[in-house]
């Protein structure tokens, strides 16, 4: 079974950020693009563990 990736999909595993994407895990929120090792180990995506706000000191805009 081959994985079809769009032009905007990431090519690096969303969990380890090192290996190329070789597996897709479907979730209630969409899909996770992972390498085989992270998919078999049920590793969470790093963006779920470390959300964008706070890592790069990006803050929400106050209205």
């Amino acid at each position: 079974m081959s994985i079809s990736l769009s032009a905007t999909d990431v090519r690096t595993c969303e969990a380890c950020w090192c290996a190329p994407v070789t597996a897709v895990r479907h979730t209630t929120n969409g899909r996770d693009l992972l390498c085989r090792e992270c998919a078999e180990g049920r590793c969470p995506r790093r963006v779920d563990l470390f959300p964008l706000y706070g890592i790069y000191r990006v803050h929400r805009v106050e209205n």
Side-chain angles (χ1 to χ4, degrees), residues 5 9-10 12-15 21 23-25 31-35:
L5 299 173
D9 283 335
V10 297
T12 306
C13 176
E14 294 178 323
V21 171
V24 176
R25 178 173 55 202
R31 65 182 186 158
D32 300 340
L33 302 173
L34 307 167
C35 66

Side-chain angles (χ1 to χ4, degrees), residues 13 19-23 34-42:
C13 176
V21 171
T22 56
L34 307 167
C35 66
R36 181 179 174 194
E37 184 176 321
C38 289
E40 289 176 352
R42 297 184 182 191

